Amino acid sequence: LVDATRWKSGPQQAVDLDVLQDAVFADRRLRLRYRHSGEREPRTYTVDPYGLVSKAGVWYLVADRRARPRLFRADRVRSARLLDDPVRRRPGVELADAWEVVLREVEERPGGLDVTVRVRRDRLDMFLRLNASSLAALPDDDGGSEWVTARLSYGIVREVRQLLAFSDRVEVLSPPEAREELRVAAEAVAQLYGRAGTGEGPGAG
């Protein structure tokens, strides 16, 4: 039994893979309008497709852009159009080869910030599930302490704000800039809810 649907994944945009697949089979170049994560407006790319890969229920287009392998999530493709130009794949490179390169780049991409936290034991399992992709190492756990220490790796300091979802069940111990980032974020949240009901908040009136 294989269920590729993620827990609480929310509604997913329907992905039309036909044009992407047609480009692969027809050996044609593709013009994509693609929205990157964290960006509001799509960018336009001309790519040379190798093929489609499904990983954990998510479809990806593997394609060269300027002779370098790139990964495009199919559900972030806003439009795709076949060009008349024939595909320009690198000689001797197959889909599996290009996929291995981009997969290694993603998995080995270094984090820019090492963060040490302590987690209350009653939230440890949930913490590990939700932060699996950011764990730098498995936590040291003697099995008896109320708090368990763990290390995370983030790309930028602002990413530590996601830990606010655990309220007082997770505390950042270091570095100081990560603690400061959470302090500022927590104060902003307190101010927002401190004026709740006054009619002065965003969207009031």
Side-chain angles (χ1 to χ4, degrees):
L1 174 64
V2 177
D3 186 349
T5 303
R6 296 178 178 179
W7 292 109
K8 298 183 179 180
S9 59
Q12 297 291 321
Q13 176 178 328
V15 180
D16 184 359
L17 300 176
D18 290 345
V19 176
L20 307 182
Q21 190 175 44
D22 288 346
V24 174
F25 291 147
D27 290 332
R28 303 258 294 278
R29 306 191 89 190
L30 266 173
R31 180 69 52 79
L32 301 179
R33 292 184 69 253
Y34 184 82
R35 186 188 64 80
H36 291 274
S37 176
E39 297 185 5
R40 299 183 62 179
E41 298 299 325
R43 303 187 188 187
T44 300
Y45 298 111
T46 298
V47 301
D48 300 289
Y50 285 96
L52 296 166
V53 175
S54 177
K55 182 174 177 60
V58 178
W59 282 99
Y60 295 89
L61 171 70
V62 182
D64 272 357
R65 179 174 180 263
R66 297 178 179 173
R68 294 190 60 186
R70 292 289 184 265
L71 203 59
F72 299 91
R73 275 185 59 142
D75 57 359
R76 291 182 185 154
V77 174
R78 292 297 173 258
S79 66
R81 180 170 61 88
L82 271 70
L83 301 180
D84 294 332
D85 301 334
V87 72
R88 302 175 187 174
R89 301 186 186 108
R90 285 165 290 141
V93 178
E94 303 292 339
L95 171 60
D97 304 315
W99 170 251
E100 182 179 353
V101 171
V102 295
L103 190 63
R104 186 167 59 247
E105 288 180 352
V106 171
E107 293 179 344
E108 295 179 358
R109 185 176 298 160
L113 183 71
D114 291 328
V115 176
T116 302
V117 303
R118 64 173 189 165
V119 186
R120 285 191 186 274
R121 182 171 299 282
D122 62 355
R123 288 295 183 270
L124 181 60
D125 288 345
M126 179 182 293
F127 173 85
L128 294 177
R129 287 198 305 272
L130 297 181
N131 293 278
S133 63
S134 301
L135 280 177
L138 291 177
D140 297 327
D141 185 6
D142 60 13
S145 302
E146 178 185 359
W147 293 91
V148 178
T149 301
R151 289 193 305 111
L152 303 169
S153 181
Y154 292 117
I156 57 176
V157 67
R158 190 176 180 85
E159 292 179 0
V160 302
R161 291 188 174 213
Q162 61 190 278
L163 297 177
L164 286 175
F166 291 93
S167 185
D168 60 348
R169 294 299 191 264
V170 172
E171 180 187 4
V172 170
L173 302 178
S174 66
E177 58 266 33
R179 289 181 60 91
E180 176 65 12
E181 182 72 21
L182 286 184
R183 184 192 67 78
V184 171
E187 286 186 355
V189 172
Q191 290 178 7
L192 176 66
Y193 286 99
R195 61 173 181 260
T198 65
E200 299 177 358

